[in-house]
Amino acid sequence: RSSGESLLSIINDLLDFAKAEAGKLGLLPVPFRAATLLKSVVAMMESLARGKGLDLRLKFMGGLDAVIVADEARLRQVLVNIIGNAVKFTARGSVEVRVAYAAAARRVAFEVQDTGIGISPLDLERIFAPFSQADSSTTRKYGGTGLGLAISQRIVEALGGKIVARSELGKGSTFAFEIDVGEPAA
Ligand code: ADP
């Protein structure tokens, strides 16, 4: 079953990447509460983080109980990738997810900060490129295809935002992105 699941996740990554490249992500905006989505993604990561002794924290900065309109499934996919990476590449310390809603600008900003292995300045330039991992030992040690961030970047752009990473080798990394959201029709 676990082989089947890892194969499925590789196939899904390849399909999503191909779709994004063809400009065919096909967004499906729906109304939802950001707080509910965030809590569910964090709950999903909780046992993995706890198993590693990591402190996984979620911090809301205002207004997130409001109903917003965006492609919830694609946003979830980005959050699972970014938070999943933070947990995966951190052996000690914490992963903090910060979310802020700028209601007037109708934008939601996300930041995921970890105290993990970090990324060198050179690697930072290429991790968003498809099939790129920080170094060749990464696949052996951590698995993965190197497609997650390439897909996340394209999804975030399709959602009207940009994704950036800051990091210091050995100290940790922060991934930040914003998306445009609509308001539900009255
Ligand atoms: P994958 O996780 O499948 O390797 P990604 O595209 O999600 O692919 O990530 C690409 C690479 O970026 C990873 O292999 C890793 O080297 C680096 N990376 C991503 N997130 C982090 C993080 N939080 N800390 C350290 N390195 C990271």
Side-chain angles (χ1 to χ4, degrees):
R1 181 168 142 201
S2 107
S3 303
E5 277 169 6
S6 49
L7 193 56
L8 186 62
S9 110
I10 293 173
I11 292 172
N12 280 334
D13 273 0
L14 286 170
L15 278 175
D16 278 339
F17 182 68
K19 270 191 211 161
E21 282 295 271
K24 295 246 159 64
L25 273 174
L27 294 182
L28 185 70
V30 293
F32 64 99
R33 286 179 212 278
T36 311
L37 169 66
L38 263 300
K39 282 180 197 157
S40 120
V41 173
V42 166
M44 190 177 126
M45 301 288 171
E46 194 70 59
S47 75
L48 199 63
R50 202 172 319 120
K52 296 178 80 176
L54 300 178
D55 182 17
L56 176 57
R57 295 188 292 261
L58 178 56
K59 289 200 173 156
F60 292 120
M61 280 99 126
L64 282 151
D65 272 327
V67 175
I68 54 171
V69 176
D71 189 323
E72 184 183 16
R74 289 297 181 191
L75 175 58
R76 172 187 290 272
Q77 188 178 354
V78 174
L79 289 166
V80 167
N81 177 232
I82 303 293
I83 302 172
N85 277 348
V87 172
K88 176 159 109 171
F89 293 106
T90 303
R92 259 185 309 279
S94 60
V95 171
E96 185 167 291
V97 182
R98 293 186 288 268
V99 196
Y101 179 35
R106 304 232 179 98
R107 281 175 86 75
V108 184
F110 303 84
E111 265 191 6
V112 180
Q113 181 171 20
D114 67 56
T115 57
I117 61 172
I119 305 161
S120 72
L122 194 70
D123 289 332
L124 214 41
E125 284 174 22
R126 58 177 192 220
I127 51 167
F128 289 100
F131 305 105
S132 285
Q133 297 185 312
D135 67 72
S136 54
S137 65
T138 306
T139 315
R140 236 180 309 123
K141 196 162 165 200
Y142 298 97
T145 54
L147 275 175
L149 286 179
I151 296 168
S152 291
Q153 184 182 49
R154 283 160 178 76
I155 292 176
V156 169
E157 280 166 6
L159 296 176
K162 261 202 340 205
I163 183 164
V164 293
R166 302 186 292 274
S167 186
E168 207 178 322
L169 207 52
K171 295 242 170 90
S173 314
T174 302
F175 285 78
F177 66 95
E178 290 189 3
I179 63 163
D180 280 330
V181 296
E183 267 179 10

